[in-house]
Amino acid sequence: MAKTLKKWQGWLLFGGSMVVVFLLGLLVSSLMERRAEVASVFNNKRTVFEDEIIAQNEKFKADYPREYETWAMTEDTTFRSMFNGSQETDELADRPEMVILWAGYAFSRHYNTPRGHKHALEDMRKILRTGNPGITVKTADGRDSIAVDMQPATCWTCKGPDVPRMMRELGNGKDQFDPANFYAKKWSELGAEEVNTIGCSDCHDARTMDLRPARPAIYEAFARRGLDVKKATHQEMRSLVCAQCHTEYYFIKPNDPNNPGKANYLMFPQDKGMTCEAAEEYYDSIGFYDYIHPLSKTPILKAQHPGYEMALQGIHGQRGVSCADCHMPYKQEGGVKFSDHRITSPLANIDRTCQTCHRQDAEVLKQNVYERQAKTRESRTKLEKQLAAAHIEAKFAWEKGATEAEMKPILQLIRSSQWRWDYAFASHGASFHAPQEVQRLFSDGLVQAQEARLMLSKVLAKHGFIGDVPMPDISTKAKAQEYIGLDMKTLNENKQRFLQEIEPKWIEEAKKNGKLIEI
């Protein structure tokens, strides 16, 4: 026989039920309020764009104030961690061996750590790698030639939404992109057009605000692999909009017989896969090199910033974590949940990044990151010193009469070693994204550099020299630059003239034509 509830138990059950109903009512009310607030954002837009590309980021501010305000915070450079931060630092001053590794290439003149997206155009204009005429470069046959305004317009590609706008205007002016005409121009020709820094239309279709990469190169690269970027999921798009720029790339060389009419066309070397070795295999298959090293005569591959490829090799990438999950974590304001567009290190927001999955203390998680970074930096330093020595010793060997046949396998080792060094370190954040892969690449590169130096000692002995090769003093950036023959005084003077005479005219013209909005 079922037991009857005592009177007080009945009242307790009734009271508990009322509390549950009340709380559920509050929850439903909150959800409805939040849904209404979210709906109002989209239903009460002040501006409805008919064009997918709106280059002026300020035009999005009224309808997307939270996203705009956090995006504007990428101008802030106060964040600093143990090894990196948002401040600009002179990498060549910290690591003068890099001057030797990049001898013969513009990076040996000036290389700073990256800052936030708000600084993208500013930093590009002021760097000594752009707008600097009278640069001596090596031609394919090893002779010197003087190049004026050697940078193609392709160098603007990832610096802002004016790029896809101009790709259309230089093509048919509609929704179809024709990047070939854009790439074929000189960098300086588009200075008054490329004035809005990385922003909304780089990643969003202005008509719908759907995520989509704005640059053709990623669509072309994926299509060659049988993939369609447009069919990517929303979570995948939260990485692909980053991958359109944070990736390894190269320019098709002018007068390439295999690519007529595609001078300086932007390409992603992903046809054979998304690893360091796959890209190297691709480059080897087409006989590509970025420059001939003037000391060792090695045909060098210069890695750009294969952050996307390296992230895919790490545990987070393999588990489907997107770039935005860590670099643009969600924020909640009232009933609106939105991505924080202050794109920065996850260490600046550990409670909204790491701790959404990991329950450890914030300081423990931070130290985990620092430990990985410290170990990879140690390996990187060893490799840079070995590579710098290999280039200098190769120069010495040539001077002692080494033959091309003797040097060919040595130069191949140097090329392969430097590719691994550059690929790993240029993948900003890779010491955390994929620490095991970074260590593997540095280790392989170190073995190759040491093997090259051992072979060089045997070649030198064959030509009558036994002992240590005399090493120049490259203990500072200035000394290393002087050793490789850079006229830094003239380069800096040229840059100052550019910044004082040419850049202001670009900005003035852009404002006059309505391309740049003053705020």
Side-chain angles (χ1 to χ4, degrees):
M1 186 176 178
K3 294 183 178 180
T4 58
L5 291 174
K6 295 180 179 179
K7 188 175 182 179
W8 67 269
Q9 290 176 321
W11 281 109
L12 180 62
L13 180 61
F14 175 77
S17 300
M18 290 299 99
V19 169
V20 171
V21 170
F22 177 74
L23 292 175
L24 286 173
L26 286 178
L27 177 61
V28 170
S29 175
S30 176
L31 289 173
M32 291 179 67
E33 183 179 340
R34 291 187 179 189
R35 287 174 66 107
E37 186 173 347
V38 172
S40 70
V41 171
F42 295 96
N43 295 335
N44 298 311
K45 289 175 64 174
R46 302 180 189 181
T47 307
V48 177
F49 298 116
E50 296 182 0
D51 191 344
E52 67 173 313
I53 299 169
I54 302 297
Q56 298 96 330
N57 300 308
E58 293 76 15
K59 291 185 176 180
F60 292 86
K61 182 178 181 179
D63 290 316
Y64 306 99
R66 299 171 181 85
E67 289 83 356
Y68 181 87
E69 288 168 9
T70 52
W71 164 82
M73 293 171 71
T74 62
E75 187 173 17
D76 183 13
T77 60
T78 57
F79 173 75
R80 186 156 191 84
S81 66
M82 180 176 288
F83 297 108
N84 297 299
S86 54
Q87 298 90 354
E88 179 180 83
T89 60
D90 187 339
E91 279 278 275
L92 300 183
D94 293 341
R95 294 171 170 271
E97 286 85 5
M98 292 168 66
V99 174
I100 304 302
L101 305 189
W102 286 332
Y105 201 65
F107 277 63
S108 63
R109 299 195 295 272
H110 205 173
Y111 179 72
N112 295 334
T113 53
R115 297 194 291 171
H117 283 172
K118 203 79 157 41
H119 297 283
L121 286 173
E122 171 195 353
D123 289 350
M124 185 189 194
R125 292 194 195 105
K126 76 179 184 181
I127 201 84
L128 289 176
R129 303 197 300 266
T130 61
N132 215 315
I135 301 164
T136 302
V137 295
K138 289 282 183 182
T139 60
D141 59 4
R143 295 179 299 176
D144 287 342
S145 66
I146 301 298
V148 177
D149 190 21
M150 64 183 291
Q151 299 85 5
T154 321
C155 295
W156 290 111
T157 300
C158 283
K159 301 305 178 185
D162 286 307
V163 171
R165 174 182 67 81
M166 287 304 298
M167 284 183 174
R168 290 189 319 180
E169 291 184 16
L170 293 171
N172 61 18
K174 299 179 182 178
D175 283 346
Q176 295 297 317
F177 289 86
D178 185 7
N181 288 332
F182 178 89
Y183 298 145
K185 288 190 172 296
K186 292 292 186 181
W187 181 80
S188 61
E189 290 182 77
L190 299 181
E193 297 287 347
E194 304 301 327
V195 290
N196 292 283
T197 194
I198 300 168
C200 309
S201 276
D202 287 308
C203 303
H204 295 274
D205 184 327
R207 299 166 298 189
T208 62
M209 296 311 290
D210 289 341
L211 286 173
R212 60 95 184 92
R215 287 150 181 77
I218 188 170
Y219 295 93
E220 295 165 353
F222 273 52
R224 293 196 302 272
R225 294 162 52 212
L227 302 173
D228 186 351
V229 172
K230 294 179 181 179
K231 293 182 179 179
T233 65
H234 178 73
Q235 178 68 355
E236 290 169 338
M237 277 295 188
R238 298 180 81 228
S239 288
L240 291 180
V241 291
C242 305
Q244 66 180 317
C245 289
H246 291 267
T247 192
E248 166 61 15
Y249 64 85
Y250 73 103
F251 302 166
I252 292 177
K253 293 185 176 182
N255 304 317
D256 184 337
N258 298 317
N259 294 282
K262 285 197 170 185
N264 295 311
Y265 202 95
L266 179 65
M267 298 283 287
F268 295 172
Q270 300 174 355
D271 298 40
K272 296 181 181 295
M274 302 293 281
T275 65
C276 175
E277 286 82 0
E280 182 181 35
E281 181 185 355
Y282 173 89
Y283 285 135
D284 288 346
S285 70
I286 62 173
F288 182 84
Y289 60 88
D290 284 282
Y291 64 102
I292 301 294
H293 199 284
L295 303 181
S296 65
K297 299 185 181 179
T298 304
I300 295 292
L301 292 173
K302 171 68 189 80
Q304 305 309 325
H305 31 62
Y308 176 65
E309 294 92 328
M310 285 297 288
L312 292 178
Q313 311 306 314
I315 190 65
H316 291 90
Q318 293 168 4
R319 295 293 185 270
V321 177
S322 74
C323 303
D325 287 326
C326 299
H327 294 280
M328 300 176 64
Y330 286 115
K331 293 185 75 172
Q332 189 84 35
E333 285 188 8
V336 178
K337 177 182 178 182
F338 68 100
S339 287
D340 186 344
H341 281 58
R342 184 184 179 179
I343 305 167
T344 188
S345 167
L347 297 182
N349 303 290
I350 290 180
D351 60 323
R352 291 189 287 118
T353 56
C354 309
Q355 288 183 323
T356 59
C357 295
H358 304 284
R359 300 307 177 195
Q360 289 79 14
D361 179 77
E363 190 59 33
V364 170
L365 294 169
K366 187 185 298 183
Q367 291 305 317
N368 289 160
V369 175
Y370 291 161
E371 180 182 352
R372 286 159 176 75
Q373 290 176 332
K375 289 178 178 178
T376 56
R377 284 173 70 90
E378 182 180 346
S379 299
R380 172 187 166 186
T381 299
K382 291 177 181 178
L383 177 51
E384 287 171 358
K385 292 184 180 300
Q386 289 291 323
L387 268 172
H391 282 297
I392 294 168
E393 289 169 352
K395 175 180 181 294
F396 193 76
W398 285 114
E399 292 169 350
K400 290 296 180 181
T403 66
E404 290 190 10
E406 291 170 334
M407 294 296 288
K408 184 176 180 180
I410 295 171
L411 300 188
Q412 181 58 49
L413 284 168
I414 294 175
R415 168 184 164 97
S416 189
S417 174
Q418 183 153 328
W419 172 241
R420 281 154 179 74
W421 161 76
D422 212 341
Y423 194 97
F425 115 81
S427 307
H428 304 304
S431 57
F432 173 73
H433 293 156
Q436 296 96 329
E437 180 69 356
V438 172
Q439 285 285 32
R440 183 186 72 82
L441 293 175
F442 283 154
S443 297
D444 285 354
L446 188 60
V447 169
Q448 291 169 329
Q450 290 173 331
E451 186 177 349
R453 295 187 67 191
L454 179 61
M455 293 177 68
L456 280 166
S457 67
K458 294 178 180 179
V459 169
L460 284 169
K462 186 177 178 180
H463 289 271
F465 180 86
I466 298 176
D468 294 333
V469 172
M471 288 288 163
D473 182 0
I474 56 169
S475 58
T476 67
K477 179 180 78 168
K479 291 178 179 179
Q481 289 173 331
E482 181 181 3
Y483 172 69
I484 66 173
L486 287 179
D487 182 357
M488 295 306 300
K489 181 175 181 293
T490 299
L491 288 169
N492 280 298
E493 289 174 350
N494 287 343
K495 174 54 68 170
Q496 286 307 307
R497 284 199 296 271
F498 166 82
L499 293 174
Q500 293 168 7
E501 300 172 13
I502 299 176
E503 183 188 27
K505 293 180 181 178
W506 289 353
I507 303 302
E508 182 181 350
E509 182 180 343
K511 290 178 180 177
K512 186 193 309 183
N513 296 334
K515 302 291 176 57
L516 184 63
I517 297 176
E518 291 189 82
I519 56 173

